[in-house]
Amino acid sequence: MKEELDWANLAFGYIPTDYNVRCVYKDGRWGEIEVSSSETINLHIAASSLHYGQEIFEGLKAFRGADGKIRVFRLEENAARIQESARGILMEPIPTGLFAEMVRKVVKLNERFIPPYGSGASLYIRPLEIGISPRIGVKPASEYLFIVMVTPVGPYFKEGFKPTNICIMREYDRVAPRGTGRWKVGGNYAASLTAGEHAHELGYSAVLYLDPKEKKYLDECGPANFIAIKDGKYITPASDSILPSITNKSLQQLALDMGIEVEARHITVEELADIDEAAAVGTAAVASPVAEIHDLDNGNRYIIAKDGQPGPVVTALYHKLRGIQMGEEADVHGWNTIIE
């Protein structure tokens, strides 16, 4: 399989690998780690994940660095976030140590699928927890299955690190106010499918959602957080409806390291007329620069990348973060986990 893969032209999609790892929570405790080569699971037809949406997941990546070492980026942060998601919808949180052990194991077992340094590709790691107890009444499960699967992927946006156009469509909401937006649950993504496909049909890479309560402030940008550079500051929306992006958090720290002031606050739609740079940021894309933002409800067009190129601050942050992930830059904050 590895010899047949065109590493430089991988899509962001599923490619079978050799193994996944699994663990079951039952009788009040997590069991032993199981290594599996199966791509399927045996699930009860009344499982709470199927009927009541008890399903959470994470996304992180492993990279083969310039020195040949394998690095997983911000493993502990992903463990903390999936624990918060679990608490949010009354699932059993996976302990950090068990999470880390399973990620290490699945990456090592599938080492031959980690793309080579310089290919632009990575090994995507997808931890997934689902409720498996039979439930017909609305009630949390008492048993859970935690799986970590991996697949080699290329860039999330096929354009790569190039500015794309996004749009605002007020007819759609991603989540409800004070709902599940701050947790990484599958239902949030199901709710975004109609808007996302509509945007793609119109030629846009993503939807820039507005806050679901007042429709005044910027919220998330499709499957990513939104960031902007304005008056030399790094600004990003503050909201209880936004998933706290680990990439956004990392870029904020790098901005501070560069002497750039960071603000997490409400950003009005009208402010888009005055920003200098913008990007959608997340694990899959790292940073996808924004060229133009079209407000489809009133016809306003906000031109961000006036020369059609990514802005200097977003570019510097993108390359700095990628450099840390690839072992090209010093990991001064200790974000990488080396897989021996």
Side-chain angles (χ1 to χ4, degrees):
M1 168 65 77
K2 180 179 176 181
E3 290 70 27
E4 300 172 4
L5 293 178
D6 182 0
W7 298 113
N9 293 296
L10 285 182
F12 193 90
Y14 176 73
I15 293 173
T17 53
D18 291 332
Y19 301 103
N20 56 82
V21 294
R22 309 174 181 201
C23 190
V24 172
Y25 180 85
K26 186 177 182 180
D27 298 328
R29 66 180 185 87
W30 288 98
E32 298 298 316
I33 297 172
E34 173 194 350
V35 175
S36 175
S37 58
S38 173
E39 296 179 86
T40 65
I41 57 175
N42 185 18
L43 192 61
H44 196 287
I45 60 173
S48 67
S49 55
L50 298 179
H51 295 260
Y52 302 117
Q54 277 202 299
E55 181 272 346
I56 55 178
F57 67 99
E58 273 300 319
L60 59 163
K61 288 181 176 179
F63 305 87
R64 195 179 299 277
D67 54 6
K69 293 181 179 179
I70 300 167
R71 291 170 172 81
V72 175
F73 187 68
R74 307 215 70 172
L75 185 155
E76 292 83 3
E77 284 288 332
N78 282 273
R81 191 168 67 176
I82 201 170
Q83 290 163 2
E84 188 62 27
S85 295
R87 287 187 284 268
I89 59 171
L90 296 184
M91 299 177 69
E92 182 63 30
I94 184 87
T96 301
L98 181 57
F99 180 98
E101 183 181 357
M102 292 178 70
V103 168
R104 286 175 179 273
K105 184 180 286 289
V106 77
V107 170
K108 193 66 180 174
L109 286 169
N110 293 285
E111 185 173 349
R112 73 189 188 97
F113 290 95
I114 302 174
Y117 171 73
S119 64
S122 58
L123 186 72
Y124 188 76
I125 305 165
R126 170 55 59 84
L128 169 74
E129 184 178 349
I130 59 174
I132 58 175
S133 303
R135 290 288 185 264
I136 292 301
V138 181
K139 184 180 179 182
S142 58
E143 298 178 1
Y144 296 92
L145 172 62
F146 182 68
I147 303 172
V148 187
M149 55 172 281
V150 298
T151 189
V153 297
Y156 185 82
F157 292 109
K158 61 180 181 297
E159 298 86 355
F161 188 69
K162 295 180 181 178
T164 62
N165 294 345
I166 63 176
C167 66
I168 295 171
M169 292 189 284
R170 288 174 179 76
E171 63 190 288
Y172 298 110
D173 285 325
R174 186 183 66 89
V175 293
R178 302 290 296 174
T180 59
R182 63 204 131 142
W183 306 312
K184 202 168 178 69
V185 302
N188 295 344
Y189 296 82
S192 73
L193 290 175
T194 299
E197 288 304 302
H198 188 185
H200 294 158
E201 289 168 1
L202 295 174
Y204 298 101
S205 64
V207 177
L208 178 55
Y209 292 93
L210 302 184
D211 75 281
K213 184 177 181 180
E214 299 182 79
K215 296 290 188 177
K216 287 183 179 179
Y217 307 106
L218 307 185
D219 206 77
E220 285 216 281
C221 188
N225 275 192
F226 179 82
I227 69 164
I229 307 301
K230 178 185 178 185
D231 299 329
K233 298 178 182 179
Y234 179 118
I235 60 174
T236 191
S239 166
D240 289 331
S241 298
I242 296 174
L243 181 74
S245 163
I246 294 166
T247 301
N248 194 351
K249 183 177 182 179
S250 304
L251 291 172
Q252 289 180 44
Q253 181 59 60
L254 295 180
L256 292 171
D257 293 347
M258 295 176 183
I260 299 170
E261 187 176 341
V262 172
E263 290 184 348
R265 61 171 176 81
H266 288 316
I267 303 172
T268 64
V269 176
E270 290 72 27
E271 279 191 77
L272 292 174
D274 301 315
I275 64 174
D276 302 307
E277 304 176 42
V281 303
T283 298
V286 180
S288 177
V290 174
E292 300 181 11
I293 302 172
H294 299 171
D295 190 329
L296 302 186
D297 292 281
N298 58 28
N300 287 343
R301 298 167 69 91
Y302 303 98
I303 312 300
I304 311 300
K306 296 177 176 58
D307 60 357
Q309 298 300 315
V313 177
V314 169
T315 298
L317 290 170
Y318 171 82
H319 287 299
K320 183 72 173 180
L321 185 58
R322 289 285 290 147
I324 294 169
Q325 292 173 333
M326 303 304 296
E328 301 163 344
E329 298 267 0
D331 181 18
V332 298
H333 298 290
W335 289 340
N336 288 319
T337 297
I338 306 295
I339 306 297
E340 305 288 353

